[in-house]
Amino acid sequence: MTLKTVNTALTTVGVLFILYIGVSYVLTPGTTAPGFGLPSWPSGDGDGFLILKGIRDIVSGLVLGVLLVTGQRRAMGWVLLVEALTPLGDMTNVLAHHGSAAVAFGVHGLTAAVIVVTGLLTLRETRKTTAGTVAAAQEPGPAKARIAV
């Protein structure tokens, strides 16, 4: 199994997972929210904030999905590293508000770690391609004749 196959599988699972979480927050915010790790949740019209979280997650998944489908693997590696900040921020938020440390580290922290590893592996996979492309572009080619008009 090649590194590209592993990275594609990890990213695909990640995209599907974050889309599922996002859709869950949009469709059933009250039942999805308790698994986030915070000790209390908004009530009444406060569910709108949970839906915002769902929309954020859906967009994060779609961005990675577009990069995956279009083959922009180097950009995908960098975006994975940047998007790891979201679960890292979620973990920090849960801990700062005296939520469940188990969920903070076991869900959000682990998610951030997996995303970082996937991003680094993807950048490693694309490093050879990028280096080869740069080297080929720097090689002197045949001189092109200019035609005076």
Side-chain angles (χ1 to χ4, degrees), residues 47-99:
D47 280 357
F49 284 102
L50 299 176
I51 294 171
L52 287 175
K53 183 206 175 321
I55 292 168
R56 174 195 77 172
D57 289 347
I58 291 169
V59 171
S60 294
L62 290 175
V63 167
L64 286 172
V66 166
L67 292 171
L68 183 63
V69 168
T70 59
Q72 302 297 318
R73 299 190 69 83
R74 186 113 182 119
M76 185 175 73
W78 285 111
V79 170
L80 280 161
L81 292 178
V82 170
E83 285 196 9
L85 294 173
T86 300
L88 187 63
D90 291 346
M91 179 186 77
T92 305
N93 187 28
V94 169
L95 293 172
H97 289 89
H98 309 292

Side-chain angles (χ1 to χ4, degrees), residues 11 22 25 29 37 41-42 45 49 57 65 76 86 89 93 95 102 105 118 130-131 133:
T11 304
Y25 270 98
W41 288 100
D45 290 338
F49 284 102
D57 289 347
M76 185 175 73
T86 300
N93 187 28
L95 293 172
F105 293 113
T118 304
T130 304
T133 304

Side-chain angles (χ1 to χ4, degrees), residues 13-58:
V13 168
V15 166
L16 294 174
F17 177 72
I18 198 62
L19 288 174
Y20 169 76
I21 296 296
V23 169
S24 295
Y25 270 98
V26 169
L27 297 179
T28 58
T31 58
T32 305
F36 189 79
L38 289 173
S40 63
W41 288 100
S43 59
D45 290 338
D47 280 357
F49 284 102
L50 299 176
I51 294 171
L52 287 175
K53 183 206 175 321
I55 292 168
R56 174 195 77 172
D57 289 347
I58 291 169

Side-chain angles (χ1 to χ4, degrees), residues 142-149:
K144 296 187 180 187
R146 287 203 162 169
I147 300 174
V149 182

